[in-house]
Amino acid sequence: MTSPSSAPGDRARAVIAGIGSCLPPLAVTNTQVIARGNLDTTDAWITGRTGIHRRRLAGPAISTGDLATAAARAAIDSAGSAVPRPDLLLLATTTPDRPCPATAPEVAHRLGLGTVPAFDLAAVCSGFLYGLVTASALLRSGTCRAPLVVAAEKYSTIVDPFDRDTAPLFGDAAAAVALRLGDADEPGAVLETDWGSDGGGSDLITVAAGGSRLPTTGIDTGIDTGTPGHGDRCFRMRGRQVYAHAVRRMTSSSEAVLATTGWRPEELRAFIGHQANQRILDAVADRLGVPPRHRLGNIRDVGNTAGASVPLALADAAARHACAPGARTLLTAFGGGLTWASATLLWPDAPVRTAAPEPRPPLHDHQEVSPP
Ligand code: UT7
């Protein structure tokens, strides 16, 4: 697809014009997670140490792409006809439908977006904000006019139900925003961003097998990589170390983006951090000096939904009209990689749409629909 030739002016910003979300219907309590994995823990430990009471799980019939398609369609719906038809789709996910190809092109196809550019972005729990930084830059450079940023995760496919360190933490979900070009002073405007990574911490959050180092394909490459065991195929996290990094990086990234924007923390009316752990969120907000009444989140009901967590919390709060359009807002996230990112924005004025997961049509329909 060709790109518009002229770049917009300096005050032009990406504006969140549509917000959509999708949660699978199955709600699972802590007690049910404990019973399923026969875990040596308690409901009181999980709620006290993380703030999580329940989460949604997709089950075998619903894929990441099914969640993503529903959330993206909801975001397009929310944006309405005033916003141009999406001309780029970016899908942040750590749990794509398949290792190859990327899930984004199929989501774009299912949405009827034709031949728009579409790609997956892997930044683990920072995925949505990495996507927002990327899409904003592409929009402001004139490369696209109406990008969709979708974040979708089905962590239930990688989390070990028998691992008490991680099984109680994660849930499945998707959320999406539709962007258009607008002015820096209008509701939804993404003002400044900050992002970074530290690969020195790449072993702290991993799925060891399934990549080029420890393949699971069974193809004989002539290189003995060993046979991956059950644990290698599952998500593993060194929780205590990650906790410390998460607090440090989300705080410093938030401080950086607030400084660039010229805002003081006490001027914020909405703070949404990656919903990893209520104690982490409180530690970051305390360090920044954001009062409790301006801390927004939904970790209690959905757990940690990885890349989807920030836009899902935004969608949830916007659906409750938790903030007035235009209110000063800070988003921040931290995840595997290690990666982190933050953004300042003016609270959007978009009617949030929620949707049920969309089951994938049978394969033969796809083959008939796509012309050569
Ligand atoms: O999404 C990407 C970013 N993710 C995060 O930022 C998550 C970061 N980490 C955390 O949220 C927390 O570290 C956890 C929730 C994973 C753990 O909470 P914690 O308060 O940091 O506990 P801890 O890791 O310091 O462990 C304290 C004890 C340990 O036992 P010992 O070594 O003191 O004997 C753990 O083995 O608690 C034990 N433990 C548990 N006990 C009961 C760990 N998980 C559990 C559990 N139930 N589920």
Side-chain angles (χ1 to χ4, degrees), residues 40-42 45-46 49-50 125 164-165 168-170 205 237 239-240 242-243 246 274 276-277 279-280 304 334-336:
D40 180 18
T41 186
T42 60
W45 194 98
I46 299 166
R49 294 285 186 122
T50 69
C125 300
R164 78 168 181 180
D165 293 349
L169 305 180
F170 293 91
I205 297 175
M237 177 170 70
R240 197 175 302 179
V242 171
Y243 189 113
H274 168 45
N277 183 322
R279 287 158 55 222
I280 294 176
N304 181 347
F334 172 86

Side-chain angles (χ1 to χ4, degrees), residues 2-371:
T2 52
S3 310
S5 52
S6 60
D10 271 359
R11 282 192 53 77
R13 290 290 186 279
V15 170
I16 297 178
I19 306 175
S21 67
C22 172
L23 281 167
L26 180 65
V28 178
T29 64
N30 292 340
T31 310
Q32 289 169 317
V33 171
I34 293 166
R36 188 168 73 137
N38 193 21
L39 302 177
D40 180 18
T41 186
T42 60
D43 178 40
W45 194 98
I46 299 166
T47 55
R49 294 285 186 122
T50 69
I52 298 166
H53 288 240
R54 59 191 73 81
R55 73 288 295 141
R56 300 291 187 93
L57 298 184
I62 300 168
S63 75
T64 295
D66 298 340
L67 299 169
T69 304
R73 203 184 299 282
I76 295 170
D77 229 38
S78 159
S81 52
V83 176
R85 179 183 149 92
D87 59 355
L88 181 144
L89 190 147
L90 195 163
L91 173 61
T93 186
T94 328
T95 51
D97 281 358
R98 299 175 275 194
C100 175
T103 305
E106 191 181 311
V107 171
H109 173 80
R110 289 170 62 180
L111 292 169
L113 299 182
T115 55
V116 299
F119 59 98
D120 287 4
L121 188 156
V124 197
C125 300
S126 309
F128 172 75
L129 286 176
Y130 260 59
L132 192 66
V133 176
T134 306
S136 297
L138 291 171
L139 191 53
R140 293 176 70 193
S141 72
T143 306
C144 60
R145 282 181 309 188
L148 267 181
V149 182
V150 190
E153 302 281 17
K154 188 180 174 190
Y155 260 52
S156 54
T157 56
I158 56 173
V159 167
D160 181 352
F162 305 106
D163 176 21
R164 78 168 181 180
D165 293 349
T166 55
L169 305 180
F170 293 91
D172 303 329
V177 296
L179 301 176
R180 64 165 169 79
L181 202 62
D183 293 324
D185 56 3
E186 61 175 303
V190 179
L191 300 180
E192 302 292 340
T193 57
D194 174 75
W195 56 350
S197 78
D198 175 9
S202 64
D203 286 344
L204 299 182
I205 297 175
T206 60
V207 177
S212 61
R213 280 196 197 154
L214 190 53
T216 50
T217 56
I219 296 171
D220 183 4
T221 59
I223 304 164
D224 182 14
T225 53
T227 307
H230 170 77
D232 295 322
R233 296 164 196 260
C234 295
F235 178 93
R236 295 285 181 235
M237 177 170 70
R238 293 199 212 149
R240 197 175 302 179
Q241 284 164 272
V242 171
Y243 189 113
H245 282 286
V247 172
R248 176 173 155 230
R249 293 301 188 181
M250 282 198 280
T251 303
S252 59
S253 177
S254 295
E255 285 168 347
V257 79
L258 285 172
T260 325
T261 316
W263 290 353
R264 294 191 308 275
E266 59 271 25
E267 294 174 327
L268 287 173
R269 291 298 169 264
F271 166 79
I272 296 178
H274 168 45
Q275 306 287 294
N277 183 322
Q278 190 58 52
R279 287 158 55 222
I280 294 176
L281 291 164
D282 287 337
V284 174
D286 286 347
R287 280 167 171 73
L288 292 172
V290 180
R293 66 183 179 284
H294 299 317
R295 305 173 188 178
L296 305 177
N298 55 355
I299 187 171
R300 180 186 168 93
D301 295 319
V302 297
N304 181 347
T305 58
S309 99
V310 167
L312 190 69
L314 176 69
D316 180 65
R320 289 185 283 109
H321 304 287
C323 263
R328 294 183 174 194
T329 302
L330 169 67
L331 309 180
T332 188
F334 172 86
L338 303 169
T339 57
W340 56 87
S342 302
T344 49
L345 62 133
L346 302 179
W347 191 262
D349 188 15
V352 178
R353 299 276 184 260
T354 57
E358 282 189 31
R360 182 179 189 259
L363 196 59
H364 66 267
D365 286 349
H366 285 249
Q367 287 166 345
E368 283 167 15
V369 169
S370 296

